[in-house]
Amino acid sequence: MEYLYILIAVIGISGVFVTSKIYQRRYTKNFLSLMVFSFFLALGGFAFSFVVNGFTIRFSSVTLVYALIVAIAIGFDNIAGVVALKYCKMSLYTTFILSGGMVIPSIVGMLFWNEPIVGWRIAGISVVLLALVVPTFEKTDKRTSKIGLLLCLGVFVCNGINNVFTKLHQSTPNALGTQDFLIWENLCNCVLTLLIATVFVCITHTKKTSNPLQRERTENGNALTIKRWIIPVSLILLTSLISGVGQTFNLMAAKTIPASLLYPLTTGGSMILSAVCGKVFFNEKITKWNAISLTLAALGTVLFVL
């Protein structure tokens, strides 16, 4: 049954990447639109978990600490991920974010969680890291390549941190259940996003130009206007629903499957499915270097589970 949970989690992960890419293409124009994405994604996640949890919220200081750490990592992933999808292909972004979620927890698991140190897993880590280097050989616009790779590196690290602390929470005796953890994680994310957005609005308001023509251009350039909020917010809430389903089944699997096995399985499946989705939905060309990177990442994943 746990492997069925992993399959559902993989479909959810790939679905989130698809809807995030759609939002990036159609509605991301400025920093505030990124905050809107992050806030409603967390709000939708909170609502999903609140309903699944029987409309109850339980409190635990242990869960709150873990939730806050994970919320910070996920918040960066959400914002940087949407921007990264503007500068790189979905398959490249997927390879980085999922590799971080596999490599970092697996290393931590072997070093600190008494999980067996196996030669095949060490080889798998090496091959996956090589897969991350390969895309740098592809000839692309230098600015696009540099920004995209830096953002991908950031989500690599943060997704690894996310999975490490998620696994720690699931293994902590005094921690609350899966949905309680997701409720607090999303609440923390909402609060953090509102704080950042408020600071941003205050700063930009003080610097707002008094030139009427410039002010009109700024207002017309906003990604989200009052008249057009329904479709983008609905898209974000759909993303949140898909993410909630995927997260729930991933956390359920994390209770019984070792981190060094769980994350390689979710990573490998999501990489392949996301590459297919990128081709089908966005007509993204899979170049020679992309193919080599995906092949190495898949090979590294196989080595992990030997």
Side-chain angles (χ1 to χ4, degrees), residues 6-292:
I6 292 176
L7 176 61
I8 297 174
V10 166
I11 295 173
I13 291 169
S14 301
V16 168
F17 292 152
V18 171
T19 51
S20 297
K21 179 79 172 181
I22 294 173
Y23 182 87
Q24 177 273 313
R25 283 190 167 188
R26 296 186 178 183
Y27 305 110
T28 301
K29 300 295 181 182
N30 55 28
F31 182 76
L32 200 56
S33 63
L34 294 175
M35 292 293 98
V36 169
F37 179 83
S38 182
F39 175 77
F40 280 102
L41 191 64
L43 185 63
F46 164 77
F48 175 86
S49 297
F50 184 61
V51 172
V52 173
N53 207 37
F55 300 95
T56 59
I57 301 177
R58 287 176 284 270
F59 176 78
S60 165
S61 58
V62 174
T63 293
L64 180 60
V65 171
Y66 282 120
L68 180 59
I69 295 172
V70 171
I72 293 172
I74 288 181
F76 180 86
D77 271 351
N78 291 339
I79 297 172
V82 172
V83 179
L85 288 170
K86 178 181 179 180
Y87 293 101
C88 64
K89 296 177 181 178
M90 195 166 78
S91 59
L92 177 63
Y93 167 71
T94 302
T95 301
F96 267 84
I97 188 171
L98 294 180
S99 294
M102 173 177 64
V103 170
I104 295 177
S106 297
I107 293 175
V108 172
M110 289 186 287
L111 293 179
F112 302 106
W113 297 339
N114 296 321
E115 295 182 1
I117 300 176
V118 183
W120 288 114
R121 289 176 184 168
I122 302 299
I125 291 174
S126 302
V127 173
V128 169
L129 292 177
L130 178 61
L132 303 182
V133 176
V134 168
T136 61
F137 296 111
E138 186 174 1
K139 293 182 179 179
T140 57
D141 176 76
K142 289 185 177 180
R143 178 176 178 273
T144 298
S145 177
K146 182 179 294 186
I147 294 175
L149 287 174
L150 285 175
L151 289 170
C152 285
L153 181 61
V155 298
F156 171 87
V157 174
C158 283
N159 199 41
I161 293 173
N162 168 26
N163 285 348
V164 165
F165 282 94
T166 296
K167 178 65 179 179
L168 277 173
H169 176 268
Q170 295 302 102
S171 305
T172 301
N174 297 327
L176 298 177
T178 298
Q179 294 304 328
D180 292 296
F181 174 70
L182 291 176
I183 285 173
W184 285 106
E185 173 209 309
N186 284 300
L187 276 176
C188 289
N189 210 328
C190 283
V191 173
L192 290 172
T193 302
L194 282 176
L195 288 174
I196 294 172
T198 301
V199 172
F200 173 78
V201 170
C202 291
I203 293 175
T204 55
H205 179 73
T206 57
K207 295 181 178 180
K208 191 173 182 180
T209 178
S210 59
N211 186 330
L213 294 178
Q214 180 64 34
R215 184 164 59 249
E216 181 180 357
R217 285 196 295 269
T218 302
E219 292 170 353
N220 290 337
N222 287 338
L224 303 175
T225 63
I226 297 176
K227 295 180 181 179
R228 296 185 296 170
W229 68 270
I230 296 178
I231 294 178
V233 169
S234 298
L235 179 62
I236 299 170
L237 293 178
L238 174 62
T239 304
S240 183
L241 176 62
I242 297 172
S243 177
V245 172
Q247 271 190 316
T248 298
F249 281 93
N250 194 42
L251 287 171
M252 290 169 64
K255 288 185 176 182
T256 55
I257 298 178
S260 53
L261 179 61
L262 171 64
Y263 297 114
L265 289 176
T266 55
T267 297
S270 300
M271 282 179 184
I272 295 172
L273 185 56
S274 296
V276 172
C277 289
K279 177 63 177 177
V280 172
F281 293 106
F282 307 110
N283 196 30
E284 292 184 348
K285 183 180 178 181
I286 300 178
T287 65
K288 176 182 68 175
W289 296 112
N290 290 145
I292 293 174

